[in-house]
Amino acid sequence: MSLLQNLASLDLSETTEKIIAEYIWIGGSGMDLRSKARTLSGPVSDPSQLPKWNYDGSSTGQASGDDSEVILYPRAIFRDPFRRGNNILVMCDAYTPAGDPIPTNKRFKAEKIFSQPDVAAEEPWYGIEQEYTLLQKDVKWPLGWPIGGFPGPQGPYYCAAGADKAFGREIVDSHYKACLYAGINISGINGEVMPGQWEFQVGPAVGISAGDELWVARYILERITEAADVVLTFDPKPIQGDWNGAGAHTNYSTKSMRSDGGIDVIIKAIEKLRLRHKEHIAAYGEGNERRLTGHHETADINNFSWGVANRGASIRIGRDTEKAGKGYFEDRRPASNMDPYVVTSMIAETTITWKP
Amino acid sequence: MSLLTDLINLNLSDHTEKIIAEYIWIGGSGLDVRSKARTLPGPVSDPSEIPNWNYDGSSTGQAPGKDSEVILYPQAIFKDPFRRGDNILVMCDCYTPAGDPIPTNKRYNAAKIFNHPDVVAEEPWYGIEQEYTLLQKDVKWPLGWPVGGFPGPQGPYYCSAGADKSFGRDVVDAHYKASLYAGINISGINGEVMPGQWEFQVGPSVGISASDQVWVARYILERITEIAGVVLSFDPKPIQGDWNGAGAHTNYSTKSMRENGGYEVIKKAIEKLGLRHNEHITSYGEGNERRLTGRHETADINTFSWGVANRGASVRVGRETEKNGKGYFEDRRPASNMDPYTVTSMIADTTILWKPT
């Protein structure tokens, strides 16, 4: 295999100016990531220097066979941690040939919300805690779990080390460095309460870039699990019973919240979120009702609550925000399979522009 | 897998100033080591440059779910042997949001003892001999032992080599270099009397740093056994019967003991330890009664004794110390699962500060 590895790791910049750009987009389910690569004539530093492209939408449930072209608009560039050199990853969104966003393109509407003057003035910051579970490849049972059985109950696994407690760390650690290399604002990682479950955090990122960065981080993770021969799942409740689910807690602040007196702005914002609880929940990920039960560090899906340091509430305010009188808060409701374009823009819209 | 290896070994310093800091703390059992990582904007050289952090104490038995934040205070930095570059390991201790040490935080009281002027003046040195056993992953039977049976009796295994005598050396040797890389004062390793059991030593280290280093060395060992697919145990008597237990013999000296006439200071210190034998024993590790039987190179748990070159005593003084009239002594009572913050500070407290009534 090392001949292939040698070839895949070739540094082409000594032989040619050309670079490889991997165009990434979201497919028809809203959760499946797709990508393909093309050669460009030289290094680029801005999405505006990249040509639009297209793909076969009839193969991803996004167009019909007789009118199958979906157009890719480049939106954000990252360094490619797999090909390295001057090669890049390009996060794109998808349009009809006529220039309209296709129905699964959630970025378009999010961008409009983030471009509104009131929202832009508040400089909304996001820190997204992406949880995920690793599964053994052919049986789809969590990594490290005995086939036909269960590991010992939760307790020893959160942030633990050891061959009997931590399963898949090489994936997590290679993902951490790959994302830093790519230019993603990855702020940390930890082992989760359920064995085989992990978390990484992206942020603080401003506005639409939070969504771009999270999607590319998810893509990099799927490429790494592919190389490791394990399966990645973002299902919010992969195993029924006394096992934690997987979320995408979204930490949020605006300029006003980060300034003196911000705690009052935070409390008003949380009140507006309470008034739109059902609308938010409907957009916070499929299958979330299996996860938001009121047990396993969640709040029940039908009730809205908030509290300081309270991991059983819908919204948690950290003790240091309470103490400083300003800061940020954590929306714990989104599921691991949420679309960050939808969730981040909805939180901004409800708290900044929406009036009860 | 070599794609993953490439990525894990990426030297990020060519592309970013950012570093990764792995914060390490002790969980609710007092023996479980936990950690998580965060990105910092640039390299650091002192704990004071590293921010406090927090974790979910309700997941480690250290806080209720309704009020779950436990605060991490960085106390010591080491180089990260897994991520390398400018990346670091950070040993922390745990506090409530109000700033009080949580009940399982044994470092706090130890630091108070080590900061006492009388103790500081005596510059207490520690050399801790950490024994441990490696177990096969799914059956929890020692590494190298036949499943459903036993190896030949003890005798051939201590410090030996050979595929039929020495099990798991790759873990031990990787740990030795990783700890040296990290900046831990690891002074040696050896294969132990029971097959599958090993020992590493940390020291001589002064005061609280001895314990910080032992905890981080334990963490590095658990990370290495995780990679190797074997289970690490600090149980003091992993196998009943004619098999040695595992201890954490603690070698100790003060400035006075290391100077001329120090042997008299040593004898007085040992006498004070004898007067507080029961108090020390209760803090020297859970399950120690299964190990301190009076056999297998231990002293009986109920009796305090000491002797020169005597491995059957509670406290052993080396022949060289006797000959030179100064040096150090070895407290052989602590179990492998002892908390070094508790043991090291208690020895200093009893021998330097405590006055018999």
Side-chain angles (χ1 to χ4, degrees), chain B residues 35-210:
Chain B
S35 76
K36 55 174 182 161
R38 78 190 296 191
T39 309
L40 298 179
V44 296
S45 48
D46 190 84
S48 59
E49 300 172 71
I50 303 176
N52 287 356
W53 204 11
N54 64 79
Y55 68 94
D56 173 10
S58 67
S59 288
T60 57
Q62 295 171 301
K66 290 195 304 294
D67 190 7
S68 60
E69 277 177 41
V70 176
I71 316 300
L72 292 168
Y73 290 26
Q75 299 293 357
I77 296 180
F78 300 89
K79 278 158 57 121
D80 184 334
F82 306 104
R83 297 193 177 103
R84 299 199 280 280
D86 290 315
N87 303 306
I88 54 175
L89 304 177
V90 186
M91 187 64 207
C92 305
D93 63 344
C94 303
Y95 296 78
T96 63
D100 303 306
I102 64 172
T104 49
N105 178 350
K106 307 302 180 194
R107 190 187 194 281
Y108 184 79
N109 278 339
K112 281 171 64 176
I113 289 169
F114 285 118
N115 287 333
H116 190 293
D118 294 352
V119 175
V120 174
E122 280 289 2
E123 248 188 84
W125 288 6
Y126 297 91
I128 297 169
E129 306 171 35
Q130 175 73 69
E131 291 179 335
Y132 61 92
T133 314
L134 298 175
L135 306 176
Q136 301 172 48
K137 190 172 80 147
D138 296 317
V139 296
K140 302 279 177 75
W141 196 234
L143 186 64
W145 292 36
V147 177
F150 292 83
Q154 296 185 152
Y157 310 109
Y158 171 72
C159 295
S160 67
D164 52 346
K165 297 190 281 299
S166 171
F167 311 128
R169 188 189 299 272
D170 47 356
V171 168
V172 187
D173 275 352
H175 178 253
Y176 200 164
K177 282 199 178 179
S179 298
L180 281 172
Y181 177 95
I184 288 166
N185 199 0
I186 183 168
S187 40
I189 56 120
N190 62 272
E192 269 301 330
V193 174
M194 183 178 112
Q197 204 171 83
W198 295 85
E199 170 179 314
F200 66 89
Q201 306 99 33
V202 172
S205 302
V206 185
I208 197 99
S209 72

Side-chain angles (χ1 to χ4, degrees), chain A residues 158-159 186 297 311 319, chain B residues 34-35 39 56 67-69:
Chain A
Y158 170 73
C159 295
I186 182 168
E297 302 174 86
R311 279 176 158 83
R319 288 240 171 255
Chain B
R34 311 271 182 161
S35 76
T39 309
D56 173 10
D67 190 7
S68 60
E69 277 177 41

